[in-house]
Amino acid sequence: MKQTLNKRMFKTTFKGLLLLCFLIACTFVEYKPYSFTQNDEIIELQFGRKMNKNLLDSLQKVLKNSGIELKYTELKYDGDKLSRLAFQVEYNGNAGNAKTNFVNKGKSFGFRIEPKTNRMIVGELNPK
């Protein structure tokens, strides 16, 4: 009987500690309104609702200097939040386009270019 009680206490304590660790880990997850990465391996832009027109234009200019042509075919704002975005991107003979209404929360949207392999992904992005 004593051994059964110890097993139950251990399971309850273990579950409690596991839940506590999960909750602590969740507090370290930081929301990113957008993401831009550019290096030798990858060029990636993940759009977000909090991107204003000035930021979009400046990213467009930075990308143009790297040989990437980015055109916004539709921009619609709901107050200060981007609610609809459509774009075209061209790089080294590859082209793609995509659009979103930002309804897929938690899923990245944008484009990823891998210059060494000349690979390009446009639209919903899976984790690297």
Side-chain angles (χ1 to χ4, degrees):
M1 171 112 170
K2 190 175 183 181
Q3 192 175 21
T4 306
L5 183 60
N6 284 341
K7 282 184 179 180
R8 272 192 253 155
M9 284 178 55
F10 175 76
K11 286 182 180 180
T12 304
T13 303
F14 181 74
K15 287 178 184 177
L17 288 173
L18 191 60
L19 178 62
L20 180 63
C21 289
F22 176 75
L23 292 173
I24 290 171
C26 287
T27 61
F28 291 111
V29 175
E30 183 180 336
Y31 170 72
K32 294 181 182 176
Y34 71 93
S35 174
F36 178 62
T37 305
Q38 184 175 14
N39 57 47
D40 292 340
E41 301 291 323
I42 191 170
I43 301 167
E44 181 176 284
L45 177 57
Q46 295 179 17
F47 294 100
R49 293 196 71 204
K50 294 185 179 182
M51 297 178 84
N52 62 36
K53 181 74 168 106
N54 290 336
L55 177 58
L56 291 170
D57 289 343
S58 66
L59 286 167
Q60 192 176 36
K61 290 175 186 172
V62 167
L63 291 166
K64 188 170 186 114
N65 290 336
S66 298
I68 299 169
E69 191 69 36
L70 176 62
K71 297 176 187 170
Y72 304 113
T73 55
E74 185 177 359
L75 291 173
K76 185 175 180 183
Y77 284 88
D78 183 13
D80 63 343
K81 293 190 178 178
L82 189 57
S83 61
R84 184 168 176 84
L85 168 69
F87 70 93
Q88 297 174 338
V89 62
E90 295 178 20
Y91 174 74
N92 203 22
N94 294 325
N97 60 58
K99 65 181 174 179
T100 186
N101 290 324
F102 292 102
V103 293
N104 294 328
K105 293 183 179 179
K107 295 187 179 181
S108 299
F109 175 81
F111 65 88
R112 179 182 305 137
I113 297 171
E114 298 170 5
K116 290 184 178 180
T117 60
N118 202 30
R119 182 173 178 230
M120 182 166 64
I121 301 168
V122 179
E124 192 174 293
L125 302 174
N126 295 320
K128 297 172 196 130

